[in-house]
Amino acid sequence: MKYLFVLLLAGVTANAQIKKEQLNLMPWPQNVVINDGNFTLTKNFKVNVSGNPNPRIFGGVTRFLRRLDGRTGIFFEQGFVTKLNEVPTAELQINCNKAGKIGLYEDESYNLDIKSNKITINASSDLGALHGLETLLQILQNNNNSFYFPVSQISDFPRFTWRGLMIDAARHFQPVDVIKRNIDALAAMKMNVFHWHLVDDQGWRIETKKHPKLIELASDGLYYTQEEIRNIVKYADERGILIVPEIDVPGHGSAILTAYPEIGSKVITLTGGTSEKNIQGTAIATYGIERNAGIFSPTLDPSNPKTYQILSELFDEVCPLFPGAYFHIGGDENEGKDWDANPKIQAFKKKHNLKTNHELQTYFTMQLAPMLKKHGKQLMGWEEILTKDLSKEAIVHSWRGPNEGMPAGQSLVDAVKKGYKTVLSNGYYIDLMYSVTDHYLNDPMPKGANLTADEKARILGGEATMWTELTTSNTIDSRVWPRTAAIAERLWSPEDVVDVANMRKRLDNVSFRLEELGLTHIRNKAVILRNVANNQDIKLLEEFTNVSEPLKGYTRNKGGTEYQMYSPFTLFADACTPDAKDSLAFNDAVSQYLANKTPENKAKVAAFFNNWIALNKGLVELGKNAPLVQPILPLAKKLSDASQELLLVLDNKSTLKAEDLKSLIEQCNTKDHADVELSVYPSLKKLI
Amino acid sequence: MKYLFVLLLAGVTANAQIKKEQLNLMPWPQNVVINDGNFTLTKNFKVNVSGNPNPRIFGGVTRFLRRLDGRTGIFFEQGFVTKLNEVPTAELQINCNKAGKIGLYEDESYNLDIKSNKITINASSDLGALHGLETLLQILQNNNNSFYFPVSQISDFPRFTWRGLMIDAARHFQPVDVIKRNIDALAAMKMNVFHWHLVDDQGWRIETKKHPKLIELASDGLYYTQEEIRNIVKYADERGILIVPEIDVPGHGSAILTAYPEIGSKVITLTGGTSEKNIQGTAIATYGIERNAGIFSPTLDPSNPKTYQILSELFDEVCPLFPGAYFHIGGDENEGKDWDANPKIQAFKKKHNLKTNHELQTYFTMQLAPMLKKHGKQLMGWEEILTKDLSKEAIVHSWRGPNEGMPAGQSLVDAVKKGYKTVLSNGYYIDLMYSVTDHYLNDPMPKGANLTADEKARILGGEATMWTELTTSNTIDSRVWPRTAAIAERLWSPEDVVDVANMRKRLDNVSFRLEELGLTHIRNKAVILRNVANNQDIKLLEEFTNVSEPLKGYTRNKGGTEYQMYSPFTLFADACTPDAKDSLAFNDAVSQYLANKTPENKAKVAAFFNNWIALNKGLVELGKNAPLVQPILPLAKKLSDASQELLLVLDNKSTLKAEDLKSLIEQCNTKDHADVELSVYPSLKKLI
């Protein structure tokens, strides 16, 4: 209350008229019109809801008020919104025609109309209204002493109906609060699917009462209780998010088989005994929770009726926890090694006329479809499930690309041409530490594929995938956010919204605003750096993160065995992210200088070099009391050495031979230190 | 693995011999001996457990390994410790004689013996062994490239058996992850009691199946499910922590009476009707969840049998969730206004010969004792429960002091003299924003009270109390930590460990280390400041927090009504803490200068002033795009104005009259801006 008082005393400053391109909306709406004038926020600001919405709108509006007062410091009189038509004279009027249904194809459109004394959100369903509230929060402006919304009209709706994020809670378990805050962030970015990867070689994460061995033996005590799952499903529903659970079978089976080795495919040949009694035969193998990363051979036995019995019982217990219409059964990366080596499985293949392991896997998959259908669920799986016998109701999740020796998104085109619905994840693998630009420009709708309208309609959308081999609950937010917001824009906004520079500018603001939802992507970086610095000042380490990016692809964890799931992820690389802050700025400075070698342009480039030389010296000092700083010192020295020489190059004073200069710069092209690479290396190279 | 490789290549630097006074142990152990030599950590480091411990030790050891590898970046080969005598040759040997029992009077002692090639923890119980592991983590040292433990012998045990923290989850609900990380911090500080304040005027926070109205009507949907409670109890047990739940009755009753108005004490006199039909009589009042802070009149009716029926049913449901031997029933701040105004209650008092409301409350309390005893629980209550008829089994929780018009800790002496056990909280009210020094020097054992040994033995210990009228889940850690560690030391360490400067030095290190347990006291400060700065650089705001402290006592929330429970706590004051960082440093500089007016000493003082002048200018700039910065600008200006004049005073160039100078300094003694005060004001005054 007192803050408002201060603001009023300070008087009203004229607000400069905001321009459309200054707005930090993301995903960018379908239509935005800005007009003259503003709606200024005061403590009297109130919200009223009318129409026939699902009651989730009330929680949504109350959270909206809480976020708006948190940002503005205004003590709104209205604390809670709990029923329809509570304040008919309220300045913000929300009207919804109908209760939104969580799932695909629901009408999520909204119209937001801001006048200088009234704001209206009209939406077909409360899901659209929730999107409208997020847009309203994003359009908030301020001058020096007040907050206001610019007079404007926005009409908006999503381009794709499936706008998802997958989180892998199996490799590194991700506690309930991590899941919840990421669901909040999804809702803020108008995404609508949370795909929960709950089972993999490294752990089974679902409480099951019928099969308690799975949590007793295969979870390290890290799992979601059924109550927690129900609670998260409700939490997601309240925010307009569909949850798609995944139990990955028949491959990635180490955890399941740790509890139930009898349904595994591996056989052990027994030989031995004595000269009198010769032992020959086979026995089932035993399994353990996998601690490394990679593709492993433990695979369920598709020829064993008990496999289907256990899976059926598991689906009977797990399906009712998730009201949504889709269930993901994985199906990826089954190499079939244990199948090939198992005579019983080979006989089974022959008997059922299954020519390849791929056909055998389809046989397996098709056994699961009715188990899911019984609970009203459609089967979804990674693209390996796609074969000629697969039911047309299944959804094919396209993920492979050049990394896996396939053309990018090939399976997506294959699937829709064969009549399957599909979701694209190839190009959205955010765990691989590539630039946000790559993900942003990756469109689910393939260019030049010559698809019919029906085929196009079967491309449901896309999904960012956050695998967690190298990611703990402390670092996951920094791997997911803000990058996933760019993917959200690709999936929501018009196809022609592709201005990367503009996206980056808006993404910076999105990143800041995500903090109010509890996301830890910014704050936890400082925590890691304080540990690396051994409680010394982290300023220099922060600066070094501005030129350092984690190794990309799967190169950080060579062979999948350098890091175990229990290894420390408190290292410098864990504080770094793709799109290191200074890379673009330095590259711009270099480009400007090369285009126009003025003293000013030279000075800008030189400033970077002088800073990196000082940084190296400072880090050496810091390292005197910080063992965890040691691994980055060789890298800092290489950058400093190159900088010193390039300063001479700028002044035409370098006496190095061309090849020696090249080799000095090439030193910066290294992956040998601290699991990071120097993101400015390509720009350095341009200078020689 | 690769890090270790780097370390080995870097070679071994001779470690300077550490001295006892350089250690950052907290609470300081009973006996510490440091000898020459070190135990150097390598990836081969392993732990072995022997004896007869409770299995909680295995989780404790595994967490110890995870924290140690997180700090050091060493990839230990040992991932998990799951059973006795797993690695008999391990370098760290832990031996426990018996399984520790969670509760009071358990033997928590341990002996830690660090030799250059072997470490031994011998403890009576696993609880002592867990304490020993915390000490080992605290004694970790490093040089530039390796981590080591100094050769030493520590024998240790607690001075008091009750070393607690209370968290109020009623005023502002505190989610499960907040509770868990605070339990981790308690264990790290060798504390052993978590007192969970679960019910107050502002909310009922326990799922009850028999009385669902309590969560439906009186929780705003913010409560702990029974499964969550069980899960937290288990979590606490695994860390050696006893949980003492509190249901505060008969006062602080707004939430309970929102669900069950029929057991409230307030009556409404009805008058009205028409001239033909006159209505006269009484009716029960209705209640609502309280949104303000303060002492309110809603009180349970002690004359109504239904009151006892409902409470009895609630205890039947809630008690089994908590295996501990104590249940706190509150009993504080019942003013009895509604009792005085209720004729039925007046008649009841007369009938039962209860002369005062205090006697009536004791009658009420004594009805609850058997309800708890039935579940094996002893009753505990705030000191108001202490009257002549109170059962000697009850524990009296001493809390009032000068703020409440009582001598500090008077009730503690009264209680033990009358034969009651008691726990001290007066002087440990960490929500009041007083200096850590005040809490640190507040000893549960009263000086000069002339107590017998038996009476002394009845002083069980003490408990920090974190009330949350002004504290959300985002700010609570910064109110509790690191300050509570100083209270932990008071309750654990020898009485004569009272060196404040030394405690402050160690507290800084404790604060840093608490981050690894997920505590957000440091990281969330930056989050709040980024919001205040509107995503501009927070450096200047951080500097201003170094001279700003939140208003103390209950002065921030005048009348308890400026802030509602849903008001924003995202303001500058919420980023500030007691013991602002520059206060002591500035005071030292001033004292040195006044004692010895050398140019160097003068320059040190002048540096502060010049910084504050620049700070003011910078904040004005920052404020141009940050409305939330405006409220602090008048304060920054006052400090700048005083600084400018005091620079002249230092040079004997001030031309101000003494009274004008005094009034300029006095401007800095204000509580009118942004809910903070300038912590350097007392030191400024010394200069004139």
Side-chain angles (χ1 to χ4, degrees):
Chain A
M1 214 181 302
K2 69 189 72 168
Y3 289 95
L4 189 82
F5 189 60
V6 169
L7 297 183
L8 289 175
L9 280 182
V12 176
T13 305
N15 302 320
Q17 191 58 45
I18 193 104
K19 296 197 177 62
K20 195 165 146 178
E21 55 272 26
Q22 291 173 277
L23 298 177
N24 286 313
L25 306 179
M26 195 167 208
W28 190 259
Q30 301 286 342
N31 300 288
V32 181
V33 177
I34 302 286
N35 293 315
D36 284 354
N38 297 307
F39 177 103
T40 300
L41 270 176
T42 70
K43 75 186 172 82
N44 304 308
F45 177 79
K46 289 193 182 62
V47 192
N48 188 57
V49 179
S50 59
N52 298 293
N54 179 291
R56 74 169 69 86
I57 192 67
F58 300 117
V61 172
T62 300
R63 292 192 301 275
F64 163 84
L65 283 172
R66 234 31 30 94
R67 285 162 69 191
L68 200 56
D69 74 25
R71 288 184 192 185
T72 62
I74 300 174
F75 286 51
F76 294 131
E77 289 168 0
Q78 191 178 27
F80 300 85
V81 179
T82 56
K83 49 181 189 285
L84 289 174
N85 303 311
E86 234 168 9
V87 193
T89 59
E91 291 161 301
L92 170 55
Q93 292 289 332
I94 298 172
N95 186 64
C96 310
N97 295 333
K98 61 164 188 178
K101 262 189 74 177
I102 302 296
L104 304 187
Y105 306 120
E106 179 56 289
D107 186 341
E108 299 179 77
S109 68
Y110 67 93
N111 287 290
L112 169 63
D113 183 23
I114 303 175
K115 294 193 165 57
S116 61
N117 59 354
K118 189 117 196 159
I119 304 173
T120 316
I121 294 175
N122 280 307
S124 171
S125 76
D126 44 273
L127 300 176
L130 290 176
H131 294 321
L133 287 169
E134 294 295 341
T135 301
L136 190 54
L137 283 165
Q138 289 187 345
I139 209 169
L140 182 71
Q141 307 294 318
N142 67 277
N143 54 28
N144 66 323
N145 62 12
S146 66
F147 291 89
Y148 61 91
F149 301 112
V151 168
S152 50
Q153 291 80 46
I154 292 175
S155 67
D156 203 9
F157 55 86
R159 181 174 163 223
F160 290 103
T161 191
W162 189 296
R163 306 178 306 279
L165 167 70
M166 186 211 78
I167 286 182
D168 169 7
R171 270 58 177 264
H172 278 99
F173 182 68
Q174 303 297 334
V176 170
D177 52 317
V178 172
I179 302 300
K180 283 189 174 175
R181 67 183 182 238
N182 276 281
I183 286 172
D184 276 309
L186 288 182
M189 292 302 117
K190 301 186 172 64
M191 296 179 88
N192 67 341
V193 175
F194 172 59
H195 168 184
W196 204 354
H197 186 78
L198 285 158
V199 176
D200 214 305
D201 292 296
Q202 293 80 358
W204 172 278
R205 307 299 182 197
I206 312 164
E207 178 191 31
T208 70
K209 290 170 188 187
K210 176 111 186 172
H211 294 281
K213 277 205 281 183
L214 284 164
I215 53 172
E216 284 162 22
L217 302 175
S219 79
D220 296 311
L222 301 170
Y223 61 91
Y224 307 100
T225 68
Q226 296 193 2
E227 179 183 287
E228 284 170 337
I229 291 171
R230 273 190 219 99
N231 180 289
I232 286 172
V233 167
K234 179 163 172 279
Y235 193 89
D237 180 294
E238 287 166 354
R239 286 149 182 85
I241 309 278
L242 168 72
I243 296 194
V244 177
E246 177 181 350
I247 294 179
D248 198 352
V249 285
H252 291 276
S254 305
I256 297 175
L257 299 177
T258 298
Y260 293 102
E262 61 269 34
I263 61 170
S265 301
K266 190 175 176 69
V267 281
I268 295 170
T269 307
L270 298 176
T271 52
T274 63
S275 57
E276 274 128 66
K277 191 173 180 190
N278 197 295
I279 295 172
Q280 294 235 328
T282 58
I284 57 162
T286 57
Y287 301 81
I289 299 176
E290 183 58 52
R291 305 301 181 190
N292 291 310
I295 304 176
F296 305 97
S297 57
T299 308
L300 274 55
D301 180 355
S303 72
N304 186 344
K306 185 153 187 210
T307 300
Y308 300 108
Q309 183 204 325
I310 289 177
L311 286 176
S312 177
E313 287 165 359
L314 285 171
F315 287 131
D316 285 349
E317 194 170 355
V318 174
C319 282
L321 302 174
F322 297 95
Y326 308 93
F327 203 109
H328 204 299
I329 55 94
D332 57 320
E333 297 184 324
N334 167 28
E335 298 189 329
K337 281 186 207 163
D338 289 353
W339 289 356
D340 292 339
N342 185 323
K344 198 173 74 91
I345 294 176
Q346 290 309 311
F348 184 86
K349 267 170 83 173
K350 231 175 240 166
K351 182 179 159 198
H352 289 80
N353 197 26
L354 302 162
K355 300 208 176 61
T356 63
N357 283 343
H358 203 179
E359 287 185 19
L360 176 57
Q361 183 170 335
T362 304
Y363 172 91
F364 168 86
T365 305
M366 294 316 297
Q367 308 308 303
L368 308 195
M371 299 178 196
L372 294 170
K373 190 148 202 174
K374 174 178 160 195
H375 296 285
K377 304 259 185 279
Q378 283 183 38
L379 180 151
M380 179 170 185
W382 301 103
E383 63 182 64
E384 289 95 322
I385 67 166
L386 177 61
T387 51
K388 62 179 168 43
D389 297 325
L390 182 71
S391 150
K392 289 286 187 288
E393 287 186 357
I395 298 180
V396 174
H397 195 160
S398 172
W399 72 276
R400 288 186 294 189
N403 259 344
E404 293 76 25
M406 319 271 282
Q410 178 63 47
S411 63
L412 177 116
V413 173
D414 290 352
V416 297
K417 291 211 174 202
K418 286 177 181 156
Y420 297 97
K421 289 184 188 134
T422 183
V423 170
L424 181 68
S425 277
N426 179 260
Y428 300 134
Y429 267 49
I430 51 177
D431 61 314
L432 299 185
M433 303 287 114
Y434 295 121
S435 168
V436 65
T437 308
D438 299 350
H439 304 309
Y440 186 60
L441 298 178
N442 184 51
D443 200 301
M445 202 54 71
K447 293 216 167 33
N450 203 13
L451 300 180
T452 66
D454 278 358
E455 286 163 355
K456 284 182 179 172
R458 286 198 283 272
I459 298 177
L460 301 178
E463 195 177 284
T465 48
M466 182 64 229
W467 302 102
T468 58
E469 287 92 339
L470 299 177
T471 305
T472 67
S473 56
N474 286 328
T475 58
I476 188 168
D477 292 359
S478 75
R479 273 64 188 126
V480 178
W481 304 105
R483 288 133 43 77
T484 297
I487 298 174
E489 176 155 295
R490 179 57 43 239
L491 301 173
W492 177 285
S493 304
E495 191 174 356
D496 62 357
V497 175
V498 288
D499 180 335
V500 171
N502 183 278
M503 175 274 286
R504 282 181 180 271
K505 183 207 73 140
R506 289 178 290 127
L507 198 62
D508 279 349
N509 190 268
V510 162
S511 181
F512 160 57
R513 286 301 186 200
L514 283 172
E515 282 209 282
E516 79 184 5
L517 296 170
L519 276 290
T520 63
H521 57 305
I522 303 175
R523 67 191 90 176
N524 279 7
K525 175 176 175 173
V527 174
I528 297 171
L529 294 182
R530 273 191 286 275
N531 188 54
V532 172
N534 199 17
N535 203 22
Q536 301 173 91
D537 194 322
I538 62 171
K539 191 170 159 291
L540 298 177
L541 285 172
E542 279 200 31
E543 280 185 30
F544 203 59
T545 65
N546 291 342
V547 296
S548 303
E549 296 186 3
L551 296 184
K552 297 176 196 312
Y554 295 113
T555 57
R556 177 170 177 185
N557 191 14
K558 292 170 198 75
T561 56
E562 283 189 280
Y563 286 84
Q564 280 72 50
M565 293 306 137
Y566 51 79
S567 295
F569 292 93
T570 52
L571 309 174
F572 181 72
D574 299 298
C576 294
T577 58
D579 302 299
K581 206 174 156 195
D582 280 354
S583 318
L584 270 185
F586 178 64
N587 194 55
D588 287 350
V590 168
S591 301
Q592 273 169 29
Y593 168 70
L594 292 176
N596 190 1
K597 296 192 173 178
T598 63
E600 292 74 33
N601 285 344
K602 187 168 88 173
K604 277 185 197 159
V605 176
F608 280 97
F609 293 140
N610 285 314
N611 187 40
W612 293 334
I613 293 165
L615 186 52
N616 177 52
K617 286 186 190 142
L619 288 172
V620 168
E621 278 307 303
L622 194 74
K624 288 182 177 165
N625 186 27
L628 286 178
V629 170
Q630 300 302 326
I632 65 171
L633 292 184
L635 203 58
K637 182 169 188 313
K638 284 172 182 175
L639 182 59
S640 173
D641 289 350
S643 296
Q644 277 174 326
E645 196 59 35
L646 285 168
L647 278 176
L648 296 176
V649 170
L650 288 182
D651 286 338
N652 291 315
K653 288 180 183 164
S654 171
T655 57
L656 273 192
K657 281 187 239 165
E659 67 207 271
D660 291 341
L661 179 60
K662 203 184 149 200
S663 125
L664 189 69
I665 303 303
E666 207 51 35
Q667 297 247 321
C668 294
N669 184 22
T670 173
K671 301 185 197 307
D672 293 342
H673 307 289
D675 289 345
V676 296
E677 58 187 49
L678 286 172
S679 63
V680 291
Y681 158 73
S683 309
L684 291 177
K685 240 183 12 177
K686 293 180 183 171
L687 286 167
I688 58 170
Chain B
M1 213 181 301
K2 70 191 70 169
Y3 289 93
L4 189 81
F5 189 59
V6 170
L7 298 183
L8 289 175
L9 278 183
V12 177
T13 305
N15 303 320
Q17 190 58 46
I18 193 105
K19 296 197 176 64
K20 195 165 144 179
E21 54 273 25
Q22 291 172 276
L23 298 176
N24 286 313
L25 306 179
M26 195 165 209
W28 191 258
Q30 301 287 343
N31 300 289
V32 182
V33 177
I34 302 285
N35 293 314
D36 284 352
N38 297 309
F39 176 103
T40 299
L41 269 177
T42 71
K43 76 187 173 83
N44 305 308
F45 177 78
K46 288 192 182 62
V47 192
N48 188 56
V49 180
S50 59
N52 298 293
N54 178 290
R56 73 169 71 85
I57 192 67
F58 300 117
V61 172
T62 301
R63 291 192 302 276
F64 163 85
L65 283 171
R66 231 38 23 99
R67 284 162 69 191
L68 200 55
D69 73 25
R71 288 184 193 185
T72 62
I74 299 174
F75 285 50
F76 294 132
E77 288 168 0
Q78 193 178 26
F80 300 85
V81 179
T82 56
K83 48 181 189 285
L84 289 174
N85 302 312
E86 234 168 10
V87 193
T89 60
E91 292 161 299
L92 170 55
Q93 292 288 333
I94 298 172
N95 186 62
C96 311
N97 296 334
K98 61 164 187 176
K101 263 189 74 178
I102 302 298
L104 303 188
Y105 306 119
E106 179 56 288
D107 186 342
E108 299 179 76
S109 69
Y110 67 93
N111 287 292
L112 169 63
D113 183 23
I114 303 173
K115 294 194 165 58
S116 62
N117 60 354
K118 189 119 197 159
I119 304 172
T120 317
I121 294 174
N122 280 308
S124 173
S125 75
D126 45 272
L127 301 177
L130 290 176
H131 294 320
L133 287 169
E134 295 296 340
T135 301
L136 190 53
L137 282 166
Q138 289 186 346
I139 209 169
L140 182 70
Q141 306 294 320
N142 67 279
N143 54 28
N144 67 323
N145 63 12
S146 66
F147 291 89
Y148 61 90
F149 302 112
V151 168
S152 49
Q153 291 80 45
I154 291 174
S155 67
D156 203 9
F157 55 87
R159 181 173 164 225
F160 290 103
T161 191
W162 189 295
R163 307 178 304 282
L165 168 69
M166 185 210 77
I167 286 182
D168 169 7
R171 269 60 177 261
H172 278 100
F173 181 68
Q174 303 296 335
V176 170
D177 53 316
V178 172
I179 302 300
K180 283 189 173 175
R181 68 183 182 238
N182 275 281
I183 285 172
D184 276 309
L186 288 181
M189 292 303 117
K190 301 186 172 67
M191 297 178 87
N192 66 342
V193 175
F194 171 59
H195 168 183
W196 204 355
H197 185 79
L198 286 158
V199 177
D200 214 304
D201 293 295
Q202 293 81 358
W204 172 278
R205 306 298 182 199
I206 313 164
E207 179 192 29
T208 71
K209 291 170 188 187
K210 177 110 185 173
H211 294 281
K213 277 205 282 182
L214 284 164
I215 51 172
E216 286 162 19
L217 303 175
S219 79
D220 295 313
L222 300 169
Y223 60 91
Y224 306 101
T225 68
Q226 296 193 3
E227 179 183 288
E228 284 170 337
I229 291 172
R230 274 189 218 100
N231 180 288
I232 286 172
V233 167
K234 178 164 173 282
Y235 192 90
D237 180 294
E238 286 166 356
R239 285 149 183 85
I241 309 278
L242 168 71
I243 296 193
V244 177
E246 177 180 349
I247 294 178
D248 197 352
V249 284
H252 291 275
S254 306
I256 297 175
L257 299 178
T258 298
Y260 293 103
E262 62 269 35
I263 62 170
S265 301
K266 191 177 175 68
V267 282
I268 294 169
T269 306
L270 299 175
T271 54
T274 62
S275 58
E276 273 127 67
K277 191 172 182 186
N278 198 294
I279 295 172
Q280 295 235 331
T282 59
I284 59 162
T286 57
Y287 300 81
I289 299 176
E290 183 57 52
R291 304 300 181 191
N292 292 310
I295 304 176
F296 304 96
S297 56
T299 308
L300 274 55
D301 180 355
S303 72
N304 185 344
K306 186 155 185 206
T307 300
Y308 301 108
Q309 183 205 324
I310 289 177
L311 286 176
S312 177
E313 287 165 359
L314 286 171
F315 287 131
D316 285 349
E317 194 169 355
V318 174
C319 282
L321 302 174
F322 297 95
Y326 308 91
F327 204 109
H328 204 298
I329 55 93
D332 58 319
E333 299 184 323
N334 167 27
E335 297 188 331
K337 280 187 208 164
D338 289 354
W339 288 356
D340 292 337
N342 184 324
K344 201 170 78 76
I345 294 177
Q346 290 308 312
F348 184 87
K349 268 170 81 173
K350 229 174 242 167
K351 182 178 162 197
H352 289 80
N353 197 25
L354 301 163
K355 298 206 176 60
T356 63
N357 282 343
H358 204 181
E359 287 186 20
L360 176 57
Q361 183 169 336
T362 304
Y363 172 90
F364 169 85
T365 304
M366 294 315 298
Q367 308 308 304
L368 308 194
M371 299 178 195
L372 295 170
K373 189 147 203 174
K374 174 180 160 192
H375 296 285
K377 304 259 184 281
Q378 282 183 39
L379 179 149
M380 179 169 184
W382 301 103
E383 63 182 61
E384 288 97 321
I385 67 166
L386 177 62
T387 51
K388 62 179 167 42
D389 296 325
L390 182 71
S391 150
K392 288 286 187 285
E393 288 186 355
I395 298 180
V396 175
H397 197 160
S398 172
W399 71 278
R400 289 186 293 189
N403 259 343
E404 293 75 25
M406 322 269 282
Q410 179 61 49
S411 63
L412 178 117
V413 174
D414 289 352
V416 296
K417 292 212 174 204
K418 287 178 180 156
Y420 296 98
K421 289 182 187 134
T422 182
V423 170
L424 181 67
S425 277
N426 181 260
Y428 300 133
Y429 268 48
I430 51 178
D431 61 315
L432 299 185
M433 303 288 115
Y434 294 121
S435 169
V436 66
T437 308
D438 299 350
H439 304 310
Y440 187 60
L441 298 177
N442 183 51
D443 201 300
M445 202 55 71
K447 294 217 167 33
N450 203 12
L451 299 179
T452 67
D454 279 357
E455 286 164 353
K456 283 181 180 173
R458 285 198 284 271
I459 298 176
L460 301 178
E463 196 177 285
T465 46
M466 183 63 228
W467 302 103
T468 58
E469 286 92 341
L470 298 178
T471 305
T472 68
S473 55
N474 286 327
T475 59
I476 187 167
D477 292 358
S478 74
R479 273 63 188 127
V480 177
W481 304 104
R483 288 132 43 77
T484 297
I487 297 173
E489 176 155 296
R490 178 59 42 236
L491 301 173
W492 176 286
S493 305
E495 191 175 357
D496 61 357
V497 175
V498 287
D499 181 334
V500 171
N502 184 278
M503 174 275 286
R504 282 180 181 271
K505 183 207 74 143
R506 289 178 289 126
L507 198 61
D508 279 349
N509 191 268
V510 162
S511 181
F512 160 57
R513 286 302 187 199
L514 283 172
E515 280 209 284
E516 79 185 8
L517 297 170
L519 276 289
T520 62
H521 57 306
I522 302 174
R523 66 191 92 175
N524 279 7
K525 175 176 173 172
V527 175
I528 296 171
L529 293 182
R530 273 191 285 277
N531 188 54
V532 171
N534 198 18
N535 202 24
Q536 300 173 90
D537 195 321
I538 63 171
K539 191 171 158 289
L540 298 178
L541 285 172
E542 278 200 32
E543 281 186 30
F544 204 59
T545 65
N546 291 342
V547 294
S548 303
E549 297 185 2
L551 296 184
K552 297 177 196 313
Y554 295 113
T555 56
R556 177 170 177 185
N557 192 14
K558 291 171 198 74
T561 56
E562 282 189 281
Y563 285 83
Q564 279 72 49
M565 293 305 138
Y566 52 77
S567 295
F569 291 93
T570 52
L571 309 174
F572 181 72
D574 300 299
C576 294
T577 57
D579 301 298
K581 205 174 156 195
D582 280 355
S583 319
L584 270 184
F586 178 64
N587 194 54
D588 287 350
V590 168
S591 301
Q592 274 169 30
Y593 169 70
L594 292 177
N596 190 3
K597 297 192 171 180
T598 64
E600 293 73 32
N601 285 344
K602 188 167 88 172
K604 278 185 196 158
V605 175
F608 281 96
F609 293 139
N610 285 315
N611 188 40
W612 293 334
I613 293 165
L615 187 52
N616 176 51
K617 284 185 192 142
L619 288 172
V620 168
E621 278 307 303
L622 195 74
K624 288 181 179 167
N625 186 26
L628 286 177
V629 170
Q630 300 302 326
I632 66 172
L633 293 185
L635 203 58
K637 182 171 189 311
K638 283 171 183 175
L639 183 59
S640 174
D641 288 349
S643 296
Q644 277 175 326
E645 196 60 36
L646 285 168
L647 277 175
L648 296 176
V649 170
L650 288 181
D651 286 339
N652 290 317
K653 288 180 182 163
S654 172
T655 57
L656 273 192
K657 280 187 240 164
E659 66 208 272
D660 291 341
L661 180 60
K662 203 181 150 205
S663 124
L664 189 68
I665 304 303
E666 206 52 34
Q667 297 247 323
C668 294
N669 183 22
T670 172
K671 301 186 197 307
D672 293 343
H673 308 289
D675 289 345
V676 296
E677 59 187 49
L678 286 171
S679 63
V680 291
Y681 158 73
S683 309
L684 291 176
K685 241 184 11 180
K686 293 181 184 171
L687 286 167
I688 58 169

